[in-house]
Amino acid sequence: PKEYNDKKLIDELKIKEEQKKVDAILKVVFLGESGVNKMEIINQFCTPPPFDPNNITSLSSQFQSKIVNYPDLAKSIRFDIWDTVGQEKYRPLAKIFYKDAQVIVFVYDITSYDSFEQIKNYWYKEVNNCRHQDMPILALVGNNVEKYDYQQVKDDEAKCFADEIGAIFQSASPLNDSGINQLFDNIAKIYLIPGYDYKEIEKKEREEYFKRKEQMREKREKILKKMINILIKSIKRNAV
């Protein structure tokens, strides 16, 4: 239909115009099992909406794009971001998207050890076997950190694997909008700055994260002890 062709032409012209304004275009592909909330990370980065935990998972690859300016570097990057379906029957289709990607983001759910094992035993190996040129920038994301009470994948184990494959490690939560901008900032700086080492900056941020996590745990313990003491006193009073 003519209307479709006109819209397609307008979209192509917009893309060409945007390409003139940026210093680099990075194809970023998200990989991981179905249900680890890959698309929620992408949505939060590209068009931060109110997070909807009941959002229905799509059965097709989804694409979003965002231009980010880095004034301190006098550079701009357009991130072309693809989310691939993690269900096993769709896995062969993922190769179409990641074979020429400059960035691969592996995502697992911290409450599902199996989703982490699939990254190690399937997704990383597939990417490694598929690449005939230099490896892309790699990132490993532990998602849904707001559910740390149900955490099955230890951060130390995930960081060890990230170091082993030369990947950025990042904890993230679309629900709390944490870790997502930092992920893409590190990707951009690794691409733009020769020899950039994100680990020094990440080390400080992880120390702060674990410190906050420990403070929250101690706070919960104090509240629990206080409630137990109140209950014990109440029982004693009733016994008298």
Side-chain angles (χ1 to χ4, degrees):
K2 184 178 183 301
E3 293 82 1
Y4 172 78
N5 290 332
D6 289 344
K7 184 179 183 302
K8 185 177 179 182
L9 178 61
I10 291 170
D11 289 343
E12 288 176 353
L13 289 172
K14 284 182 178 178
I15 290 173
K16 288 180 180 179
E17 193 62 32
E18 285 181 351
Q19 287 176 348
K20 296 177 184 177
K21 300 175 183 177
V22 299
D23 297 288
I25 300 173
L26 293 185
K27 181 179 180 182
V28 183
V29 176
F30 276 62
L31 297 176
E33 296 302 284
S34 177
V36 298
N37 291 341
K38 300 187 298 294
M39 198 63 204
E40 283 73 10
I41 293 175
I42 299 169
N43 286 338
Q44 190 64 266
F45 176 67
C46 292
T47 52
F51 180 77
D52 181 8
N54 299 313
N55 190 31
I56 298 174
T57 302
S58 171
L59 291 180
S60 63
S61 297
Q62 298 187 51
F63 170 81
Q64 290 201 51
S65 183
K66 181 177 181 178
I67 295 175
V68 180
N69 295 312
Y70 297 92
D72 53 332
L73 301 174
K75 299 286 185 180
S76 61
I77 289 180
R78 193 184 85 201
F79 294 97
D80 288 348
I81 309 170
W82 294 88
D83 171 32
T84 58
V85 175
Q87 294 179 10
E88 189 168 352
K89 62 181 178 179
Y90 296 105
R91 282 178 170 181
L93 298 176
K95 292 181 181 179
I96 299 171
F97 299 95
Y98 64 68
K99 66 180 181 179
D100 60 347
Q102 286 100 346
V103 183
I104 301 289
V105 180
F106 300 109
V107 183
Y108 67 91
D109 181 349
I110 68 163
T111 68
S112 168
Y113 195 82
D114 180 66
S115 69
F116 177 64
E117 283 283 289
Q118 291 297 324
I119 297 295
K120 294 172 63 178
N121 298 328
Y122 179 79
W123 291 110
Y124 173 69
K125 290 181 179 179
E126 282 293 301
V127 169
N128 200 31
N129 292 335
C130 185
R131 299 295 301 191
H132 299 294
Q133 301 175 359
D134 293 336
M135 281 294 284
I137 296 170
L138 301 179
L140 178 66
V141 177
N143 202 21
N144 306 322
V145 294
E146 74 280 355
K147 300 178 182 178
Y148 58 84
D149 282 337
Y150 306 98
Q151 185 171 4
Q152 293 184 8
V153 184
K154 300 299 183 184
D155 292 331
D156 287 344
E157 183 178 0
K159 285 185 282 186
C160 182
F161 176 63
D163 288 342
E164 181 183 323
I165 65 174
I168 299 167
F169 174 75
Q170 182 67 56
S171 298
S173 170
L175 183 64
N176 297 331
D177 190 18
S178 66
I180 297 171
N181 287 330
Q182 185 63 46
L183 168 67
F184 283 93
D185 282 349
N186 280 326
I187 289 170
K189 288 174 181 177
I190 287 174
Y191 181 80
L192 293 172
I193 305 173
Y196 175 77
D197 184 4
Y198 84 98
K199 290 184 180 180
E200 287 302 315
I201 297 172
E202 288 293 291
K203 181 180 178 181
K204 293 179 181 179
E205 292 186 348
R206 286 200 297 269
E207 287 174 352
E208 291 176 0
Y209 164 72
F210 289 123
K211 184 178 179 180
R212 290 195 302 269
K213 186 175 178 180
E214 181 63 19
Q215 288 172 344
M216 291 180 69
R217 186 189 65 79
E218 290 176 354
K219 186 176 180 180
R220 288 198 305 271
E221 285 185 355
K222 287 180 181 179
I223 293 172
L224 182 61
K225 287 179 181 179
K226 187 175 180 180
M227 291 176 66
I228 291 173
N229 288 334
I230 292 173
L231 181 61
I232 292 172
K233 289 178 181 179
S234 176
I235 291 172
K236 288 181 177 179
R237 282 197 301 268
N238 292 332
V240 173

